[in-house]
Amino acid sequence: MMDQTNDRRVSKSCYPQPRMKSVPANPCRRAGTAWLLAAVCACLPAALFGAGNIVNQTWHLRTGDDRLWASPDYPVSNWQEYNLGVSAEHQNAGNTFWLRQTFRIPTPWSGEPLRCELRIQAREVDLYLNGVQLPLERNSERIASFLAPAKLLRAVGEDNHLALRISGSDYTGGVSQDFLTIHPEKKAVPSAALNMKFATRDHAFSSGVDVHFDVVGRLDGAATSAGTLRVRIENEFHKLVFVQERPATFADKESSLRCEIPSLPAGFYEVVAAYSASGIEVQDVQWFAVAPTELSCPHTAPADLAEFWQRAKAELAAVPPEFSVQWDEKRSTAAHRVYSATMKSVGGVTLHAWYIVPNKPGRFPVVLDLPGYGGVYQPEWLMGDSDIAHLAIEPRGHGRSTDKVNPGFGTPGFVGYRILDPENYAYRGAYLDCVRAVDFLGSRPEIDPARIAVKGPSQGGGLAIATAALSDGRVKCCVTAVPFLGDFLHHLQIRPVYIPEFTEALKADGHATLADVARTMSYIDTVNLAPWIRCPVLMGSGLFDDDCPPHINFAVYNQLGGPKDYRIYPTRPHNVGPEWEPDARAWLRRQFGLE
């Protein structure tokens, strides 16, 4: 079940863990006579290259706030590991946390002025060098650049201590741009670049085969550099499945090393490759997938799931829809007519929507566009096609649909609204709102009922799946990106972001437990609704996504009952990136029979 202590354990019945003894001591093979590492690591500053760096990006983490932790004498042996190249969300660092690190000045750098460059995506950042707080002036990109005070630096060969106090981390969606580097201000010293390359575009491997990728690198400013390469792999549940350190050598031209690891269970894996040598610290972070379509999880559907939703739909059917449309002349264009639409849903909620129709005769295919958490669509965003209509619904609590339900999106907010009451939970109502929108489309003479699609990202992706499941076959195709609301219990194990909201609800009740929260969510969880879908589905997933991680995406995908396809974007966070929309549009037009 859910655990407020942020336990990183995972149910072995759903996600078998590889035994460490099955991983050989040296799974990475030689390429030539040395490990050779290339390409630019995107998470490091441009100033690093050609300038060297002596700060490793793996730090010690402690959640909380105590200024004593800045002291070099304060022990950190029991602190957790934290990597600046990995998002704070993924590492569950908390709202305020401290990081500690040490570095030594190489002998060739002795007496050189040293420049420190720091980027931390957070509201507040304090930096301490050997116990002394340094003034920070960060620019609009959250970057500070300054000379390290020579009087605070210790002699060559001695440890210098860095401490970072970080509060209010910025939202990243999964891709970190944080770094801290120290390098000579003027003296040219060797530097390196590092990148991992995968044979497949989506970084996906089949089950039962060895995982393999190339570690590619380049050394600038020297012929060779002898150091250490560390490869560390965690699964999506934060469990370490592989780690290795071994000697490695850089060369002054691009070279690569093939790294092979025995087959891993179905799931998703983060790999950090880092090279350390005198005056050189560089790393790359990537994700890969193993047999994502074979991912399976325990059955969590309640016995009365079908009855629950039959009763809910009957309640909706008893509500007079009161459909209305009003032409918006200012928003309309020569190619599209824009209407503001309203309709009634359960609980007496008035739903608002934007209805965009091609400005020409005919019956058109239509897309029901469903918003992300707290978001709404604007009509001008939906005018890319002159032969497809759009209905952008604003479910209860969103946009203009706040007459009866308006909890907001903070803590507590929409996801926790009436979480202990399945019959009145926010998402029961929101799902029914989307079904009512399908009712609206079925009432319109200009819409072809054989070509109704649902589409949305994140929360909208979850709403799209729920709508396709609950609309009795009227939805003919579904496009979902990084869908929310699936595989609920595992979502909390991967990233317990919603625990504070549920904790607030439990405090207000005084008697309920997290088991009661899980019971409500079992009716909402799209893993349990997905088997009811028979129409074609396209799903997009970003491997770096922290908000709706690919595990919960594929947990739902694998339960779908009809034709389906997916796109994995291996370097993308929660926003998936610019590749998704063209892929989704092309697929959707094919489903509609449009060129």
Side-chain angles (χ1 to χ4, degrees):
M1 300 303 291
M2 294 169 286
D3 189 339
Q4 296 182 71
T5 62
N6 191 20
D7 190 348
R8 290 185 172 184
R9 291 172 294 180
V10 60
S11 168
K12 293 183 179 180
S13 64
C14 172
Y15 198 92
Q17 302 300 301
R19 293 172 296 176
M20 291 307 293
K21 66 179 182 181
S22 70
V23 182
N26 296 296
C28 297
R29 299 177 180 174
R30 294 254 179 187
T33 60
W35 286 61
L36 299 170
L37 309 169
V40 173
C41 176
C43 63
L44 294 177
L48 168 59
F49 302 107
N53 178 39
I54 53 176
V55 180
N56 192 289
Q57 301 304 298
T58 300
W59 293 58
H60 298 283
L61 162 73
R62 183 163 180 178
T63 300
D65 195 11
D66 191 333
R67 299 283 172 172
L68 291 177
W69 299 343
S71 170
D73 298 325
Y74 197 94
V76 296
S77 57
N78 63 340
W79 290 27
Q80 300 177 38
E81 186 172 292
Y82 182 96
N83 195 297
L84 284 181
V86 177
S87 71
E89 295 108 311
H90 181 70
Q91 298 177 95
N92 298 324
N95 184 63
T96 301
F97 57 98
W98 283 72
L99 302 177
R100 288 275 300 275
Q101 178 62 285
T102 61
F103 67 92
R104 292 185 175 185
I105 301 174
T107 300
W109 295 19
S110 179
E112 292 289 331
L114 301 182
R115 178 158 293 279
C116 177
E117 293 185 280
L118 167 71
R119 175 171 180 162
I120 301 293
Q121 296 167 267
R123 184 180 66 254
E124 297 177 12
V125 179
D126 297 326
L127 172 63
Y128 296 80
L129 174 60
N130 292 323
V132 178
Q133 184 174 357
L134 303 181
L136 286 183
E137 293 185 8
R138 295 187 295 162
N139 62 22
S140 60
E141 299 297 320
R142 302 286 177 107
I143 296 175
S145 180
F146 57 91
L147 291 179
K151 63 181 180 181
L152 294 181
L153 294 171
R154 296 181 178 177
V156 170
E158 295 183 8
D159 283 340
N160 290 274
H161 295 261
L162 291 168
L164 285 170
R165 177 189 177 273
I166 300 171
S167 183
S169 293
D170 291 350
Y171 172 79
T172 70
V175 172
S176 172
Q177 297 181 13
D178 292 349
F179 60 80
L180 191 151
T181 68
I182 296 179
H183 54 84
E185 168 73 357
K186 299 178 180 178
K187 183 176 181 178
V189 295
S191 65
L194 181 66
N195 183 254
M196 287 175 280
K197 293 185 177 180
F198 292 78
T200 59
R201 188 178 70 172
D202 60 1
H203 295 192
F205 297 90
S206 301
S207 61
V209 303
D210 289 351
V211 171
H212 58 276
F213 51 88
D214 293 326
V215 184
V216 185
R218 177 187 298 276
L219 177 72
D220 291 324
T224 61
S225 171
T228 300
L229 179 69
R230 184 187 195 220
V231 177
R232 188 179 192 278
I233 300 176
E234 284 188 355
N235 66 25
E236 68 265 47
F237 291 99
H238 312 279
K239 291 293 184 180
L240 183 66
V241 300
F242 176 81
V243 64
Q244 185 183 66
E245 290 185 4
R246 63 175 296 170
T249 300
F250 267 166
D252 63 355
K253 60 182 180 180
E254 183 176 299
S255 303
S256 66
L257 164 77
R258 171 59 55 90
C259 186
E260 294 185 351
I261 300 168
S263 61
L264 294 167
F268 301 88
Y269 298 86
E270 178 191 64
V271 55
V272 179
Y275 176 78
S276 299
S278 179
I280 297 175
E281 296 284 351
V282 65
Q283 71 172 17
D284 187 27
V285 180
Q286 297 287 345
W287 280 83
F288 63 85
V290 174
T293 59
E294 298 177 19
L295 195 70
S296 62
C297 292
H299 181 77
T300 62
D304 64 339
L305 180 68
E307 179 186 349
F308 176 89
W309 282 110
Q310 287 170 1
R311 187 170 61 251
K313 289 191 288 184
E315 180 184 347
L316 177 67
V319 177
E322 299 182 20
F323 300 134
S324 70
V325 294
Q326 183 175 357
W327 180 43
D328 191 320
E329 183 177 6
K330 291 183 178 180
R331 291 178 180 265
S332 296
T333 68
H336 296 89
R337 292 180 67 86
V338 176
Y339 301 87
S340 179
T342 61
M343 60 202 79
K344 290 288 187 180
S345 185
V346 294
V349 172
T350 300
L351 301 176
H352 293 259
W354 292 111
Y355 183 44
I356 302 98
V357 184
N359 191 15
K360 57 185 177 183
R363 301 190 82 192
F364 304 101
V366 65
V367 178
L368 172 57
D369 295 282
L370 303 169
Y373 192 68
V376 294
Y377 284 95
Q378 297 301 320
E380 55 268 25
W381 303 348
L382 304 172
M383 296 182 179
D385 291 295
S386 62
D387 48 4
I388 298 175
H390 288 265
L391 179 67
I393 190 72
E394 297 171 14
R396 62 189 59 211
H398 290 68
R400 298 167 292 168
S401 303
T402 55
D403 58 332
K404 301 286 187 179
V405 178
N406 190 22
F409 300 92
T411 302
F414 192 83
V415 77
Y417 186 66
R418 295 184 173 176
I419 184 65
L420 301 175
D421 182 1
E423 297 288 341
N424 292 288
Y425 180 45
Y427 279 108
R428 177 186 182 270
Y431 285 7
L432 294 175
D433 295 345
C434 297
V435 174
R436 173 75 352 139
V438 176
D439 296 339
F440 171 88
L441 293 172
S443 74
R444 301 302 302 176
E446 65 274 8
I447 295 302
D448 180 355
R451 292 187 291 174
I452 296 176
V454 288
K455 181 175 181 286
S458 190
Q459 173 192 262
L463 293 176
I465 292 169
T467 307
L470 297 172
S471 292
D472 302 320
R474 291 177 293 168
V475 170
K476 304 305 181 182
C477 57
C478 173
V479 179
T480 177
V482 294
F484 175 42
L485 300 166
D487 198 11
F488 170 71
L489 294 178
H490 283 151
H491 193 176
L492 292 187
Q493 289 181 323
I494 296 170
R495 187 184 173 205
V497 65
Y498 305 108
I499 287 292
E501 281 211 52
F502 300 146
T503 301
E504 291 290 330
L506 296 178
K507 285 181 181 178
D509 179 86
H511 300 287
T513 68
L514 284 170
D516 297 301
V517 172
R519 174 176 174 268
T520 296
M521 292 305 297
S522 69
Y523 294 104
I524 303 302
D525 197 324
T526 51
V527 162
N528 299 328
L529 302 180
W532 298 349
I533 298 175
R534 292 293 180 265
C535 71
V537 177
L538 176 68
M539 183 187 75
S541 186
L543 292 190
F544 274 78
D545 189 351
D546 278 339
D547 285 349
C548 299
H551 177 98
I552 74 166
N553 302 165
F554 277 90
V556 175
Y557 180 89
N558 294 342
Q559 297 299 316
L560 292 169
K564 55 189 177 181
D565 197 3
Y566 68 85
R567 306 284 188 272
I568 290 177
Y569 303 95
T571 63
R572 297 302 185 186
H574 187 57
N575 65 10
V576 189
E579 302 92 344
W580 166 246
E581 281 300 328
D583 287 350
R585 178 178 179 272
W587 183 89
L588 193 58
R589 291 185 65 82
R590 287 196 299 272
Q591 299 301 315
F592 285 155
L594 302 174
E595 294 183 0

